[in-house]
Amino acid sequence: MSFVHGHFGIFDFAFVGETSAICISALLLHSDQSSEYNTKTDLTPSAMIAIRTAKTCFVYGTLMSEEVLHCLLGRIPRMQPKVILQNHSRHPVRQHVYPGVIPSTSTSASVEGALLFDLSSLDLKLLDYFEEEGVDYKRTDVQVQIPDVSSLDEDIQTLVTNNSNKDDNCLSSRILKTQAYIWLKDTA
């Protein structure tokens, strides 16, 4: 078993073996903007602003790991698994252990991942830095399908219903506009 520890920008990381991330931590984790604002009591003004401006993001690789998210953001955002990104395909990336998602011309192509909820602007900046946004990936507007809306928390159900495609009348499944990190370079 190999152990690697290093520093990348504002992140410290440690890996055991080839793919198991132990911890990736940001030095800015406990600022007001990254506090846990999904509690409904004793909200600070910055937390109330974060709720009003909270964003979502579709993830499909390393960022589906609760351990990585906790180390990166200082918390685990609410997450809906089994979310589908249509008209895209997931591929291994040359000389790396992580995947990349690229647009596909095939209408049957899809990628299963998770949808992260309650992300602040700071959370997205940390995710951008982690994903090397603009170098390896571009955070892009996409539409994802949430197959089972009825399993979501009531406030998330409301968010999904209010922000989903207005032509989508199916109550059990919704199409939601969000963002995802799309690979910019050649895959394997």
Side-chain angles (χ1 to χ4, degrees):
M1 181 184 314
S2 62
F3 177 79
V4 177
H5 178 266
H7 183 73
F8 179 72
I10 62 169
F11 301 105
D12 286 318
F13 61 89
F15 293 97
V16 173
E18 293 190 21
T19 60
S20 302
I22 293 176
C23 187
I24 299 171
S25 60
L27 300 175
L28 303 173
L29 288 179
H30 300 292
S31 71
D32 284 343
Q33 294 170 332
S34 66
S35 63
E36 291 193 33
Y37 47 78
N38 57 0
T39 59
K40 295 194 175 18
T41 59
D42 300 326
L43 294 175
T44 65
S46 62
M48 289 188 288
I49 291 169
I51 286 175
R52 287 195 301 268
T53 60
K55 304 207 175 14
T56 60
C57 188
F58 175 80
V59 295
Y60 53 85
T62 310
L63 290 175
M64 291 176 64
S65 164
E66 289 185 355
E67 292 84 9
V68 170
L69 287 170
H70 186 268
C71 289
L72 183 61
L73 304 177
R75 65 186 183 86
I76 301 169
R78 289 190 284 181
M79 183 184 317
Q80 174 65 31
K82 299 185 179 181
V83 174
I84 307 297
L85 176 61
Q86 297 288 342
N87 304 319
H88 286 75
S89 56
R90 177 181 161 147
H91 298 278
V93 173
R94 260 185 226 142
Q95 301 175 355
H96 296 287
V97 296
Y98 50 82
V101 163
I102 58 173
S104 175
T105 56
S106 171
T107 57
S108 64
S110 65
V111 176
E112 183 176 308
L115 189 62
L116 303 180
F117 294 93
D118 303 328
L119 298 173
S120 69
S121 295
L122 179 60
D123 292 337
L124 287 172
K125 286 179 184 176
L126 289 169
L127 295 178
D128 287 348
Y129 194 82
F130 176 79
E131 293 287 4
E132 295 187 78
E133 204 277 336
V135 177
D136 288 337
Y137 295 92
K138 178 167 177 49
R139 186 163 33 102
T140 305
D141 293 334
V142 296
Q143 291 186 356
V144 295
Q145 179 184 4
I146 302 175
D148 186 11
V149 176
S150 64
S151 68
L152 299 173
D153 294 342
E154 186 177 324
D155 59 330
I156 298 286
Q157 246 183 35
T158 302
L159 171 81
V160 169
T161 302
N162 291 341
N163 293 302
S164 63
N165 187 337
K166 302 303 180 201
D167 298 330
D168 181 15
N169 293 321
C170 179
L171 295 178
S172 63
S173 173
R174 290 289 182 167
I175 304 296
L176 181 70
K177 293 178 183 175
T178 187
Q179 295 185 320
Y181 291 94
I182 305 301
W183 186 248
L184 291 174
K185 300 177 182 179
D186 290 334
T187 57

